[in-house]
Amino acid sequence: METPTKTFRRIVTGHDPEGKATIICDAPPVNTHLVGGKGGATFFEVWHTVETPVLIHPQPDETDENGLILPPPKNGTRIRVIDFPPEGDEIRNLTEKEAAEKFRSMGDENASTSSQGAPHPLMHRTETLDYGIVLEGEITMILDKGETTIKAGDIVIQVGTNHAWSNRSGKNCRMAFVLIDGQFTNNFNLKN
């Protein structure tokens, strides 16, 4: 099995007291979470906003959050990078209760839609519009009806759909996600 990929830099810009653009921070992200223990996905929380439109401050400051929170803040956004190791039987054999616990550890138990006969035990849905970009490797996106393998350079526009990610490649997959808070319209017939 391939070892996880190297870390990356998070570069945050802002303004000095004279209003000149400057670099505020240039370092690897420090807010990281290993989900599911050894062999689980690693979440690198890069940045989030708490309102739209975003208020631009001369010296941007991260809003504190305790632990990992799957969706963005209400009316906000979130960018994260996830390293997905190759999927093993410990994921494929999760029960509904164990799947719900995985999402509880990500701060959103209600996102889990795991059920008997679901296409994958980690099926989930969030009320968000997500842009997912494969940076390295490949991964399979599983939906209620169908699946597709996406590779480095491919981009997924995830529009509030029930889905799961399955790394069947035998190598690490790294994806960047931009999550934007959303709201389902009244004409949806959402079934888990």
Side-chain angles (χ1 to χ4, degrees), residues 168-183:
R168 302 170 181 165
S169 72
K171 297 179 180 177
N172 195 62
C173 176
R174 176 172 277 180
M175 288 186 72
F177 291 93
V178 176
L179 297 85
I180 304 167
D181 184 44
Q183 182 175 345

Side-chain angles (χ1 to χ4, degrees), residues 126-159:
T126 55
E127 202 166 353
T128 59
L129 172 70
D130 305 341
Y131 302 121
I133 304 135
V134 179
L135 303 173
E136 298 175 16
E138 66 180 55
I139 197 160
T140 301
M141 179 180 63
I142 303 167
L143 301 173
D144 293 326
K145 293 184 175 181
E147 61 182 51
T148 188
T149 299
I150 55 177
K151 299 179 179 190
D154 292 343
I155 300 170
V156 173
I157 295 90
Q158 184 82 24
V159 188

Side-chain angles (χ1 to χ4, degrees), residues 69-80:
I69 301 174
L70 190 62
K74 189 70 180 158
N75 298 318
T77 65
R78 181 178 311 284
I79 182 169
R80 70 168 44 108

Side-chain angles (χ1 to χ4, degrees), residues 3 5 13 20 25 36 60-61 65 70 75 85 90 99 109 115 130 134 148 152 155 160 165 188:
T3 58
T5 54
T13 64
K20 300 293 183 184
C25 175
D61 191 19
E65 285 184 333
L70 190 62
N75 298 318
E90 69 281 354
E109 177 183 6
S115 64
D130 305 341
V134 179
T148 188
I155 300 170
W165 302 104
F188 264 90

